[in-house]
Amino acid sequence: GHSSSTQSAIIVPKPGTYNNSLKRYNIYYIITIDAVESSTHGICYSIVDMSLDNGLGGISTKNVHLLGTETVEKICVVKHANSCDYWIVCKVPNNNSFYSYLLSSNGLDLNPIISNTGPVMTKGGGYMKSSSDNSMIALAHYGSTSTSGLGIHVYDFNNSTGTLTIKFTDSPSIPNTTNTTYYGIEFSPNNQFLYFTALNSPNVYQYNLLATNNTDFQNSMAIIGTTSNTYHYKACALQLGPNGKIYVALEDQ
């Protein structure tokens, strides 16, 4: 990974390795994502074996290259329709392709399901998240003014097949910013609303996911809160907690 990458690492348990006596899995995969400014390692994976080092765990496989060199600093993990396996959804820049890798009790399938849908995106940052019902994936994409695919994009996700299809897309105008800093993104617990932040704006923005067309989706954008942070980036990552509340990360606080 990289200290500057939006989502520099994500950890996924290997299905079929749950240790009931210890209340944890025996095997975990760590997927790492390089940063835009580095753009050498792309997306890699390592494997943690918790039986190593007298049960403290250790790396059994390290930094195996999975995909790409340049990145869009995004990744998400979605539960498979079988409620056991996982889809690891990745993206590389300069195309509109998404790569869904299946992680099952057989390990990581290195032959991804590829979906070509939505706008072409050049390298940039911003988060990618899945809805709690595993039916949608949304992302925020930011970069320089010449970056393609800037904005907020929502996809329908088939968690049986691993395929994505574009649902909504918008490049909203954010007052008092450079209009390119779309960053944090999160679904409401009931998956009716989508929230996002832009790094240079103090606001939290909302869309209505029940919109029947893309125009209504775009017109549904509203400011639902404003942070008090005045330091550099005003509002950063969004994260849904287990208590159903969405937390907003503020730089230097």
Side-chain angles (χ1 to χ4, degrees), residues 115-195:
S115 302
N116 301 308
T117 183
V120 171
M121 297 179 198
T122 48
K123 64 182 182 179
Y127 274 85
M128 179 162 63
K129 297 286 186 69
S130 61
S131 59
S132 60
D133 64 357
N134 308 307
S135 69
M136 289 179 285
I137 288 174
L139 62 84
H141 193 56
Y142 86 89
S144 67
T145 54
S146 62
T147 300
S148 296
L150 292 172
I152 306 300
H153 312 295
V154 184
Y155 301 81
D156 285 320
F157 184 72
N158 185 324
N159 67 332
S160 293
T161 64
T163 55
L164 292 85
T165 307
I166 190 67
K167 182 181 182 75
F168 300 125
T169 184
D170 193 16
S171 295
S173 176
I174 307 300
N176 304 317
T177 77
T178 56
N179 296 330
T180 64
T181 58
Y182 316 104
Y183 190 74
I185 202 157
E186 190 59 274
F187 289 89
S188 64
N190 64 4
N191 303 308
Q192 179 178 344
F193 299 105
L194 182 72
Y195 301 95

Side-chain angles (χ1 to χ4, degrees), residues 9-11 26-32 44-64:
I10 200 163
I11 301 170
N26 289 330
I27 302 292
Y28 294 88
Y29 279 72
I30 304 175
I31 317 297
T32 55
C44 300
Y45 72 90
S46 300
I47 301 174
V48 175
D49 184 341
M50 293 302 297
S51 69
L52 299 177
D53 198 11
N54 297 313
L56 296 177
I59 303 292
S60 62
T61 302
K62 185 175 181 179
N63 294 334
V64 178

Side-chain angles (χ1 to χ4, degrees), residues 167-168 192 207-220:
K167 182 181 182 75
F168 300 125
Q192 179 178 344
Y207 286 107
N208 185 356
L209 291 169
L210 298 183
T212 56
N213 56 64
N214 199 64
T215 299
D216 288 348
F217 171 78
Q218 293 175 350
N219 291 338
S220 74

